[in-house]
């Protein structure tokens, strides 16, 4: 298994540049420290095989109440491709969630990605930290109000 930050950053950047509706969430999962590249015995596939596999998984996910992100965008993208179109698959995994990412091998252009977990388990929430102000805020004070902490050395 590999887990290089450069590969993860490259995939996250490609996801952010893609038209996938939930691209920010998927990219955040890729960059998560707990996410690592998983063993991938079959990295090469075709659009037709992926369409069949994920079409079945879509039914399974609904029946088993598996939360997912990116599945509808992936199915739409796969429907536009010829069945024989060669694709590459990347798998990233945390202890509770898995991300499957399909892309064109040579160009690296993302076709789609699906993040899912176990049945009845919610997807992780990725919240961007609020920007930290570097300069202290000045409080507005009423000029008629007495400042008890003002130091006068005169």
């Amino acid at each position: 298994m590999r887990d290089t930050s450069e590969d993860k950053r490259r995939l996250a950047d490609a996801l952010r540049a893609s038209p996938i509706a939930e691209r920010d969430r998927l990219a955040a999962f890729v960059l998560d420290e707990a996410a690592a590249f998983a063993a991938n015995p079959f990295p090469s596939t075709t659009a037709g095989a992926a369409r069949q596999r994920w079409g079945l998984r879509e039914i399974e996910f609904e029946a088993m109440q598996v939360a997912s992100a990116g599945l509808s965008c992936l199915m739409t993208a796969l429907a536009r491709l010829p069945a024989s179109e060669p694709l590459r698959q990347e798998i990233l995994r945390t202890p509770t969630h898995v991300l499957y990412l399909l892309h064109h091998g040579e160009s690296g252009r993302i076709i789609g990605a699906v993040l899912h977990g176990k049945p009845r388990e919610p997807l992780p929430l990725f919240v961007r930290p609020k920007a930290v102000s570097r300069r202290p805020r000045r409080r507005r004070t009423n000029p008629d109000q007495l400042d008890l902490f003002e130091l006068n050395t005169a």
Side-chain angles (χ1 to χ4, degrees):
M1 292 203 309
R2 72 180 201 247
D3 189 8
T4 64
S5 60
E6 183 60 36
D7 287 343
K8 289 172 71 171
R9 196 172 312 112
R10 179 183 48 81
L11 284 179
D13 289 345
L15 272 167
R16 284 191 202 102
S18 74
I20 299 171
E22 297 175 278
R23 62 185 166 263
D24 291 331
R25 179 184 226 172
L26 300 173
F29 179 83
V30 169
L31 294 174
D32 186 30
E33 289 179 13
F37 285 96
N40 191 357
F42 304 105
S44 297
T45 188
T46 62
R51 190 169 38 240
Q52 181 179 5
R53 177 176 193 248
W54 286 104
L56 292 172
R57 303 262 350 238
E58 188 174 35
I59 295 166
E60 290 174 3
F61 285 0
E62 186 176 333
M64 296 173 51
Q65 298 175 3
V66 174
S68 67
L71 184 55
S72 62
C73 286
L74 175 65
M75 294 304 295
T76 301
L78 289 171
R80 293 184 186 134
L81 296 174
S84 61
E85 182 82 22
L87 301 175
R88 301 283 298 169
Q89 176 179 262
E90 303 282 347
I91 304 171
L92 286 98
R93 186 179 298 276
T94 66
T96 56
H97 296 89
V98 181
L99 178 112
Y100 293 88
L101 186 138
L102 293 167
H103 62 90
H104 288 286
E106 293 174 8
S107 70
R109 195 185 59 158
I110 303 290
I111 300 301
V114 177
L115 172 64
H116 70 87
K118 297 176 181 176
R120 291 177 290 286
E121 185 167 325
L123 292 175
L125 298 176
F126 292 103
V127 179
R128 290 186 174 155
K130 292 184 180 183
V132 178
S133 177
R134 299 206 186 265
R135 43 176 234 210
R137 291 184 184 178
R138 290 189 174 192
R139 288 184 17 198
R140 293 184 187 177
T141 58
N142 182 345
D144 297 332
Q145 184 178 1
L146 179 63
D147 185 358
L148 298 176
F149 299 102
E150 181 181 353
L151 296 176
N152 253 341
T153 57

